[in-house]
Amino acid sequence: MLSAESAAVVRATLPVVGEALDTITTRFYETMFADRPELLDGLFNRGNQRSGEQRRALAGSIAGFAAALLEHPDERPDALLARIAHKHAAVGITEDQYVIVHKYLFGAIAEVLGDAVTPGVAAAWDEVYWLMAGALIAMEARIYAEAGARDGRTWRPWRVADRREETADVMSLVLAPVGDEPVQPALPGQYVSVRVRMPDGIRQLRQYTISGFGEGGQRRITVKRVRGEGAPDGEVSNLLHATARPGDELTLSAPFGDVALGDGDRPLVLASAGIGCTPITAMLQHLALTADRRRVLLLHADRSAAHHALRRDMEELADALPGADRVFWYEHGPGGRAGRIDLTGVDVPENAVAYLCGPLEFMRDARERLIGAGVAPRDLHYEVFGPDLWLPAA
C-alpha cells in the first residue's frame, strides 16, 4: 500500500512527527477555523475542540494509521478506519472536505517542523494522508449508500413523543419520524447525531446511541447531562435537558456505528458502566424481541443504584431472556455487589463474544478481566462516546 521509498522515510521520521503531532493538530485546527469559521456551524463540535479530545484523536489516528502501514504493509487497518468512517458519516463529512483538511494539516506540519520537512519527507507523509483519506472516502461512500443518503445528506426531522427522567442527570426522549419517507433501519448498538441550534445561532451536534425501539419506527435516545467539572459543560446535552419537551422537533441523522450486535449462536457478554448502558440496553431489547435463546451474561457498574440509568429496562429485558444472567456493581449503597467490576465468582461463558461500553478506564479494566477469563481479544468489541482516544493508544 505504501511505496517502499515512502515507507523508509515514514519509518525514519515517525518518532519526530509523532512527538509533534499534538502541536501540529493544535495549529491545524486554529488555522483552519480562523480561515473557515463556517466549519464550526453544524460540523465540528466546539466542546471537543475546547477539551482537546478532537485534536488528540486526530493525532492518534494519523500516527496509528502510519504505524499500521509499517507494521503490516500488506494489510489495511480497517478496524481503525471503519470506526472513523462511521463517525464521519454521522456528521456528514464529504469528499471535498478532505482537500480542505489536507491544505491546513500540511501547512501546520511545515510550520511546526520547519526545515525538517524536506520535499522527500513531505511527499512520504502526503502519501500516507491520501492513502488514509482515499480509504475513508470509499468507506464513507458505501456507508452513505447503505443509509440511502447522497453527499452526506442524512438529516431529517423527528418529533419528541415522550420524555422520561431516568436519574437526576439522565433523561430519555422517545422520537417519532416526521413525514412519510421510509425510516432507515438501525442496528442494535448504533447511534444517531442530534443537531441543534445553540442560543448564539451556531448549530452543534452530538452522537447519542439509540437506546430503544418502538412501534412506527420510533426510537429512544438517552441523554446524560454533561457537567464540565472544571471544563465547559456539554452544550448539546444541557440544551436538550433544559428545552426538549413532547411535541418539539429535533434534527437527527441516519443511524451509524460499526459496533452493532452480530447474529449467531455464540454466548454473549454485555458489559457497561455509567451511560454506556445505552447500546447494551438496545442489544438486550433486540435479543428479547427475537426470543433469542443463547447464553447472555449482563454486567454493569455504576456509582449507585440511583445513578444507574435504564436499570429497570435492563432488569426486565435480561429477565425475559431464558439464557441470561445479570450482575450489577455499585460503588455506593445497596442493590448490587459492592465496588467496581470484579469477575471473581462470575461464570463467564466459554467461546463468548463481548460488547463493552463505558468510560475508558472501565473498558480497559473490563477488557483485561475478560481476556483473563478466557474471552479472545478478537471477540471483544467496544464503543467510545466522542472521539476515539483508546484505539490508537491500546
Side-chain angles (χ1 to χ4, degrees), residues 49-65:
Q49 294 300 321
R50 285 193 292 263
S51 69
E53 288 186 4
Q54 188 66 61
R55 179 185 75 244
R56 292 190 296 272
L58 175 61
S61 65
I62 294 171
F65 182 78

Side-chain angles (χ1 to χ4, degrees), residues 265-269 348-354 373-376 378-379:
D265 56 6
R266 293 173 60 186
L268 295 171
V269 176
V348 178
E350 295 183 3
N351 195 34
V353 178
V375 179
R378 67 178 178 276
D379 292 324

Side-chain angles (χ1 to χ4, degrees), residues 70 97 105 120 122 165 168 187 192 200 230 243 288 342 345 366 372 386 393:
L70 297 176
Q97 288 165 341
L105 180 61
E165 306 301 322
L187 300 174
V192 293
D200 63 0
T243 64
D342 182 354

Side-chain angles (χ1 to χ4, degrees), residues 167-186:
T167 72
D169 274 327
V170 178
M171 60 89 177
S172 290
L173 299 175
V174 176
L175 305 167
V178 175
D180 298 326
E181 294 183 14
V183 174
Q184 175 66 23

Side-chain angles (χ1 to χ4, degrees), residues 44 61 131 179 238 371 375:
F44 286 92
S61 65
L131 280 172
N238 278 272
I371 290 174
V375 179

